[in-house]
Amino acid sequence: MRLVWQLLAVAAVALVGGQGVAAVDGKPWLTLVVGLATAVVAVLVYGWVVRRTERRPSIEVAKEGAAAGIAWGTLVGVAVFGLLILQLATNGYFDVHGRGSATGAAGLVGYMAAAAVTEELLFRGVLFRIMEARTGTWIAMISTGLLFGAYHLANPDATLWGAAAVAVEAGGMLTAAYIATRNLWVPIGVHFGWNFAAGGIFSTEVSGNGSTQGLLDSSTSGPALITGGDFGPEGSVYAVLFCLLTALVFLWLARRRGHLVPRHDRRPAGTDTATLPR
C-alpha cells in the first residue's frame, strides 16, 4: 500500500500545481512563483508520506547536499542539451535569429521546476525505488523508463518515436543519476537543466508540448529523425545518443559505489546511503 499512498500524495500535488500553473498561463512571474511553490510542496509531501508509510527518514530528499545536488545536476542537464544543440547547429539544423524573452525564460524556470520535481518524485522516487527493491536495478530501470515514455504520449505533439526516445533518455540518464547518487536532488537537477535548456535557453519544443520563448529566438529545420520534428530535439537520434553516453557514466559511477541491486538482493527500498557524485 505504500506505493499507492506515495503515488497518490505526490500526484495530488502535481495535479493541483499543474492546474495552478495553467491558470496563470501567460503571466511569467506568477508562473515562476506557482511553479516553484509546487516544487517545494511536492518535496515536502513526498518526504512526509515516505516517513509515514515506510517508518524511516526520507534520506533521498534530505536537506544536506540538496543545493549541491541540484546545482551539479542542472549543470549536467544544460551541458548535455547544449551538446545536442551544438551538433544540430554544426550541421545547419538549428539557427539563432536574435534575442528572445528574459521574462518568458523566468516563467519557464517555474514551469520546468514543477515538472522536473513532480516527475522525478513519481517515477524515480516512488516507482523506480520501490520496484528496484523487489526486482533489482535493471528490471526496474527498464520498466519505469517505458512507463515514463508512455506518460509523454499524452502531450499534444507526441509521437511513438518521441515517447520511445524519452523512455531511453529518462529511463537511462535520469534513472542512472539516481542510482549513482541515491538521492533525488541530482536527477531533479538533470531533469530541470535539460528541460530549461530546451525551452528557457534555446526556445525549442519540449516533449511535444509546443514551442516556447526563452532567451534565444531560434528555429530548427531538417529531417525529423535528426531534429526531433514537432516533438522537439528530445526526439533526435543525437539526443538518444548523448543521453545514453551520460547514463553510462552514471552507471559506471554507480557500479564503483556498489549501488547496483541484483535481482536476488531484495533489500528494503530506500535503505541505501544518499551520496553525491565525487
Side-chain angles (χ1 to χ4, degrees):
M1 287 299 292
R2 59 178 176 164
L3 174 66
V4 175
W5 287 116
Q6 290 174 24
L7 283 176
L8 287 176
V10 179
V13 177
L15 179 62
V16 173
Q19 293 296 317
V21 169
V24 296
D25 184 37
K27 301 176 181 177
W29 297 112
L30 283 177
T31 301
L32 174 64
V33 172
V34 174
L36 291 178
T38 299
V40 171
V41 172
V43 170
L44 293 175
V45 168
Y46 172 86
W48 172 80
V49 74
V50 165
R51 290 192 298 271
R52 289 294 301 270
T53 57
E54 298 187 16
R55 307 299 183 192
R56 66 171 181 86
S58 50
I59 58 174
E60 62 272 26
V61 288
K63 293 179 182 178
E64 295 77 11
I70 292 173
W72 274 107
T74 300
L75 182 62
V76 170
V78 171
V80 176
F81 195 88
L83 287 174
L84 167 60
I85 290 296
L86 178 62
Q87 180 67 35
L88 295 178
T90 300
N91 288 281
Y93 299 127
F94 179 81
D95 295 297
V96 175
H97 310 295
R99 290 183 298 178
S101 169
T103 302
L108 286 169
V109 168
Y111 182 87
M112 298 306 181
V117 169
T118 54
E119 289 179 5
E120 288 310 300
L121 293 176
L122 286 169
F123 286 92
R124 257 59 67 181
V126 180
L127 289 173
F128 173 79
R129 181 178 57 82
I130 292 178
M131 186 178 294
E132 183 192 35
R134 297 180 179 274
T135 66
T137 296
W138 303 117
I139 292 177
M141 189 176 190
I142 293 170
S143 300
T144 55
L146 292 173
L147 284 173
F148 195 71
Y151 171 76
H152 283 77
L153 282 173
N155 293 347
D157 294 318
T159 63
L160 283 175
W161 163 248
V166 167
V168 174
E169 293 156 7
M173 180 173 67
L174 298 178
T175 306
Y178 171 73
I179 298 167
T181 61
R182 291 297 167 182
N183 71 66
L184 288 167
W185 301 123
V186 174
I188 283 172
V190 176
H191 195 152
F192 171 77
W194 173 274
N195 279 1
F196 182 72
I201 298 176
F202 297 107
S203 303
T204 65
E205 293 81 2
V206 182
S207 304
N209 279 307
S211 59
T212 57
Q213 184 59 69
L215 295 175
L216 298 175
D217 178 16
S218 65
S219 63
T220 57
S221 60
L225 191 63
I226 303 298
T227 65
D230 292 338
F231 190 78
E234 285 170 305
S236 167
V237 291
Y238 289 121
V240 174
L241 174 61
F242 290 145
C243 288
L244 278 177
L245 292 174
T246 307
L248 289 175
V249 174
F250 277 125
L251 290 173
W252 171 79
L253 182 61
R255 184 175 181 181
R256 285 193 61 186
R257 294 180 173 182
H259 288 181
L260 300 179
V261 180
R263 187 174 182 182
H264 64 272
D265 182 13
R266 297 185 179 182
R267 70 186 72 175
T271 56
D272 297 285
T273 302
T275 58
L276 291 175
R278 289 187 284 270

